[in-house]
Amino acid sequence: MKSKTERKRNRKASIFHFRRRDLCIPYALFLVLFVIIPIVIILFYAFTDANGNFSFNSLVSFFTTWSKINVLITSLFIALQTTIICLLIGYPLAYFLASKKYNKNTVLITLFIAPMWINFVLRTGATRDLLTWMGINGGNYPYLATLIGMVYNYLPFVILPLYTAMLKLDQSQMEAAADLGANPWQVFTHSILPQSVPGIMSAFLMTFMPTMSSYVISDTLSEGKITLFGNYIYLDFTNNAWNDGSFMAFIMLVLVGLSMLLNRGGEKTDERGSSGLW
């Protein structure tokens, strides 16, 4: 027979296990209320008509309306440009911030991340005022003003995951490569870059898709002359075109899913090839 002490210990262990399992309940509720149910609603409106009957009218309307296709292409192009520019600027900055050799003060990291703490609309308004003062207003240069605003607002979202990835760089591998006669470019392409691929993929996801769905930046900085995918969805819902807006939101969900699949594929490729860098 079990002793009294053992029975108390087992009772406490079972209670602790039950409570730990219950911690999943808030997450499950959040997942159902704010992820699954909204997606189901989007799918319902995307493939029904105004009377609630199953229909492909929204699909046909989207792929036969050139203005919508043009908005999608423009959004993809601006999102790709924004992501590339942010990576080109953010990659060396993240390497500098993560390197103890060059950066010995953590205050610099806070300065680069601080814009994320400011309200998104306030940042966009301040950017518009600054660009107008510089002569780059939405009336004369709508595309350039929008691109600058996108890069400014999403650059911290690129620096943060890259900085996290740079902190995990294997310094001994880089030193060994240099000792074996590799020049700086070879060290970068064969050691630093492969190790930072997860950070690059995270930065891509955190920039590309939000840029496409953004409408405040383009609407404010271009003075309404640049329409992105997010603008079109917003206008459809504002004008009570729930079916068309929901199908465009469904297109966004598909693009997000494809991006996540590409990200997972890149991580698996990196894991398979990481052991053979040198």
Side-chain angles (χ1 to χ4, degrees):
M1 295 181 64
K2 294 183 179 180
S3 64
K4 190 174 181 180
T5 305
E6 290 178 347
R7 288 198 299 271
K8 287 183 178 180
R9 188 183 302 113
N10 292 336
R11 193 182 304 113
K12 289 181 179 179
S14 62
I15 293 174
F16 177 75
H17 178 72
F18 176 76
R19 290 178 178 175
R20 185 173 60 181
R21 185 175 56 187
D22 285 351
L23 292 176
C24 298
I25 295 177
Y27 174 75
L29 289 174
F30 177 87
L31 190 66
V32 171
L33 292 175
F34 298 103
V35 178
I36 296 178
I37 292 179
I39 289 177
V40 171
I41 293 174
I42 288 174
L43 291 175
F44 172 79
Y45 279 104
F47 294 99
T48 56
D49 56 20
N51 297 321
N53 300 317
F54 181 77
S55 173
F56 288 108
N57 290 339
S58 299
L59 183 149
V60 174
S61 174
F62 178 82
F63 287 104
T64 56
T65 305
W66 170 245
S67 61
K68 296 182 180 180
I69 301 296
N70 185 48
V71 166
L72 176 60
I73 295 173
T74 301
S75 301
L76 288 170
F77 188 64
I78 290 180
L80 185 61
Q81 278 187 310
T82 302
T83 303
I84 292 175
I85 294 173
C86 285
L87 285 173
L88 290 175
I89 298 174
Y91 195 95
L93 282 175
Y95 182 77
F96 169 79
L97 293 173
S99 176
K100 295 181 180 179
K101 178 180 178 181
Y102 302 109
N103 179 27
K104 302 182 184 299
N105 194 343
T106 56
V107 175
L108 288 176
I109 302 171
T110 306
L111 292 177
F112 280 100
I113 305 301
M116 297 174 61
W117 303 341
I118 304 174
N119 183 274
F120 189 80
V121 178
L122 291 178
R123 293 204 312 266
T124 304
T127 305
R128 178 193 58 194
D129 295 339
L130 178 62
L131 292 178
T132 301
W133 178 76
M134 296 172 61
I136 310 176
N137 55 65
N140 298 326
Y141 306 98
Y143 191 91
L144 179 60
T146 300
L147 190 61
I148 292 174
M150 291 289 186
V151 172
Y152 167 71
N153 278 280
Y154 289 105
L155 183 60
F157 294 94
V158 170
I159 294 177
L160 188 58
L162 285 174
Y163 170 75
T164 304
M166 296 295 183
L167 289 175
K168 301 176 183 178
L169 291 179
D170 188 350
Q171 299 295 329
S172 60
Q173 185 184 102
M174 297 158 56
E175 293 171 0
D179 292 339
L180 291 173
N183 58 44
W185 175 250
Q186 290 174 324
V187 173
F188 172 74
T189 55
H190 291 281
S191 181
I192 299 176
L193 186 60
Q195 292 186 73
S196 59
V197 165
I200 294 174
M201 298 302 294
S202 297
F204 178 85
L205 287 176
M206 294 178 68
T207 306
F208 187 80
M209 297 312 303
T211 301
M212 280 196 62
S213 60
S214 173
Y215 66 90
V216 175
I217 297 175
S218 59
D219 195 51
T220 302
L221 298 182
S222 71
E223 298 181 8
K225 295 183 178 180
I226 300 294
T227 302
L228 297 183
F229 212 66
N231 294 77
Y232 230 117
I233 295 174
Y234 169 75
L235 290 174
D236 279 342
F237 285 132
T238 303
N239 296 324
N240 293 323
W242 293 91
N243 303 101
D244 292 338
S246 295
F247 185 79
M248 294 186 71
F250 171 72
I251 296 293
M252 287 293 303
L253 288 175
V254 172
L255 292 174
V256 170
L258 291 175
S259 300
M260 294 180 68
L261 287 176
L262 290 174
N263 184 37
R264 292 190 60 174
E267 289 179 353
K268 291 180 179 179
T269 302
D270 179 62
E271 289 175 359
R272 289 195 298 267
S274 59
S275 60
L277 294 174
W278 290 98

